[in-house]
Amino acid sequence: MTKLDAKALNTVTGGTSKCEPTPRPARPPRIAAASPRSAEGLNETRAAASGAARLSGEAGTRSVPVGVTDGSGEREMTVIDPRVGFLARRIAGLPLRTRRSVLRARFTIAGVLRGFETPGHARLFQRVLRQSAREARRLERAAVLHNLQTEAEWLALLVRTVPALLRDTRHVAVSDPAALERVAATGRPVILTPLHMGAYVFSLASLMVRFFPGRPLLVLRQRDDMPLETAVIERIREVGVAMRFHQVTDRMGFLEAVRFARNGAVVVNFCDLDPAYGAPAPMPVLGLETRFAFGTDTLARLTNALVVPLACTMEPKGDLVRVGPTFEVQSSAPDERARVAALVRAHIEASLRARPEQWHLWSALRDYLPVADTVTGAASPTTEADEQIRTAA
């Protein structure tokens, strides 16, 4: 998910904004990996700041969604931050394919007339992905468009009616629907492990409607709900998915998640969280010595769940959910943990290489890299992380 950036949306749609420019690209909050360990070492300040930036807008501005229901039970347009222009809301209210086309066209025209935004990712893409300067610039423009489209999709969840959202689910394609049908047919607990890519909230809701009807959806994380998220959860529930967030900040919270899974919930446990979120495991990707938070193995073993790696991406005419190979966790042995970590690592790398412009967390890349022991003062974390990126090429 990403914040409703009124300034960015209005720039493309031609709406007006009285707010100050906000830093780009917007970065979604990272949802916590399941881990039986405590939350010691969790960077609460960073997570809170990231969530506040997305949900409230930068510089202390506010976004206050209010659901309105008429006498028939039909939900009317949600009241959104008034800085989001009328045209931006109108575009978000269009059918999925139409709003994608309109936003892409207006983005292209605005870029030609005013110049394309350059948030600084081109150099990173060139070095880490080993791309030419020209391709890196293309990816940077695609990343800026992706951020705008994600914001529009977030807004669409609030302004589209329930029947309209259900029609939009028809445009969510799945690379291997038979694999999800087989998983659903087993009746076993299921753990979905997506990355923070694309408009993943809507894609996950669509999967629930199509493949897991009647089963609740439990998204694991390590912080409280925020107002805009609460509004979106309510909309998802109106679509027919019993969605909820579950805090995992200590062992008791983890065990409660295990209970939910055993009782039939489909659990979402994001696989691309930085190691500060607990149970870190070395998972080198893109030639970097990256580590990721990793608790999927423990959760899957305790629940006897099937684990389904996913990557949700936005395409011109809809969304695509790429389904990776389903696996199980057999034991708590170190070799088994290493095997599962290797599967997750391969999924992360394949997803990033396939659609690098759609990963929401590029701006946090240094959080995944090793740092020197700051107690000894051997090197600053920023310096060492930047050196990793500089030498990647």
Side-chain angles (χ1 to χ4, degrees), residues 74 160-168:
E74 180 65 45
R160 296 274 283 167
T161 64
V162 171
L165 289 173
L166 288 172
R167 290 194 296 271
D168 286 345

Side-chain angles (χ1 to χ4, degrees), residues 49-71:
S50 177
R54 178 175 66 78
L55 296 169
S56 302
E58 303 291 346
T61 55
R62 296 191 309 159
S63 293
V64 185
V66 180
V68 180
T69 306
D70 61 22

Side-chain angles (χ1 to χ4, degrees), residues 284-307:
V285 298
L286 305 174
L288 300 173
E289 296 178 11
T290 46
R291 297 187 307 154
F292 293 84
F294 183 55
T296 301
D297 60 329
T298 303
L299 183 62
R301 177 173 54 82
L302 293 178
T303 59
N304 191 34
L306 295 171
V307 182

Side-chain angles (χ1 to χ4, degrees), residues 57-317:
E58 303 291 346
T61 55
R62 296 191 309 159
S63 293
V64 185
V66 180
V68 180
T69 306
D70 61 22
S72 66
E74 180 65 45
R75 187 158 185 130
E76 298 176 350
M77 181 173 288
T78 306
V79 178
I80 304 298
D81 186 335
R83 297 173 302 135
V84 178
F86 172 79
L87 186 55
R89 292 195 295 269
R90 294 292 293 178
I91 290 176
L94 294 171
L96 189 150
R97 288 187 173 184
T98 305
R99 65 177 177 265
R100 293 275 170 90
S101 298
V102 171
L103 191 56
R104 178 182 290 272
R106 295 190 67 86
F107 170 79
T108 302
I109 294 171
V112 170
L113 296 178
R114 308 169 192 168
F116 291 99
E117 184 180 345
T118 55
H121 283 359
R123 189 178 179 186
L124 180 64
F125 290 153
Q126 188 174 357
R127 290 178 172 177
V128 175
L129 300 175
R130 303 176 186 273
Q131 298 288 354
S132 66
R134 181 177 181 178
E135 176 62 12
R137 289 193 297 270
R138 185 196 70 79
L139 286 173
E140 182 179 54
R141 288 194 298 271
V144 174
L145 173 60
H146 167 259
N147 288 337
L148 291 170
Q149 288 177 328
T150 304
E151 290 159 2
E153 294 305 314
W154 179 261
L155 185 56
L157 284 170
L158 297 175
V159 303
R160 296 274 283 167
T161 64
V162 171
L165 289 173
L166 288 172
R167 290 194 296 271
D168 286 345
T169 63
R170 302 171 188 169
H171 304 298
V172 177
V174 179
S175 65
D176 189 358
L180 291 181
E181 290 170 355
R182 289 193 296 271
V183 168
T186 65
R188 292 172 57 181
V190 177
I191 301 174
L192 306 179
T193 59
L195 287 80
H196 287 82
M197 298 179 72
Y200 53 81
V201 171
F202 182 70
S203 294
L204 291 172
S206 299
L207 293 185
M208 295 299 297
V209 170
R210 179 175 174 183
F211 298 101
F212 305 101
R215 295 180 68 169
L217 178 65
L218 185 71
V219 182
L220 304 184
R221 62 177 179 185
Q222 288 181 323
R223 59 174 174 76
D224 292 327
D225 292 356
M226 293 186 178
L228 190 55
E229 291 173 323
T230 301
V232 168
I233 290 173
E234 290 302 320
R235 298 310 314 279
I236 297 298
R237 287 173 178 166
E238 291 175 21
V239 172
V241 179
M243 177 182 179
R244 63 169 291 182
F245 288 121
H246 177 66
Q247 282 187 273
V248 181
T249 57
D250 53 24
R251 185 174 181 83
M252 291 304 298
F254 177 80
L255 293 177
E256 188 175 357
V258 170
R259 181 175 61 81
F260 276 115
R262 287 176 173 173
N263 289 339
V266 175
V267 177
V268 174
N269 190 29
F270 282 82
C271 64
D272 59 347
L273 295 165
D274 72 63
Y277 284 83
M283 297 184 193
V285 298
L286 305 174
L288 300 173
E289 296 178 11
T290 46
R291 297 187 307 154
F292 293 84
F294 183 55
T296 301
D297 60 329
T298 303
L299 183 62
R301 177 173 54 82
L302 293 178
T303 59
N304 191 34
L306 295 171
V307 182
V308 185
L310 300 176
C312 308
T313 58
M314 289 189 290
E315 309 299 335
K317 295 185 177 181

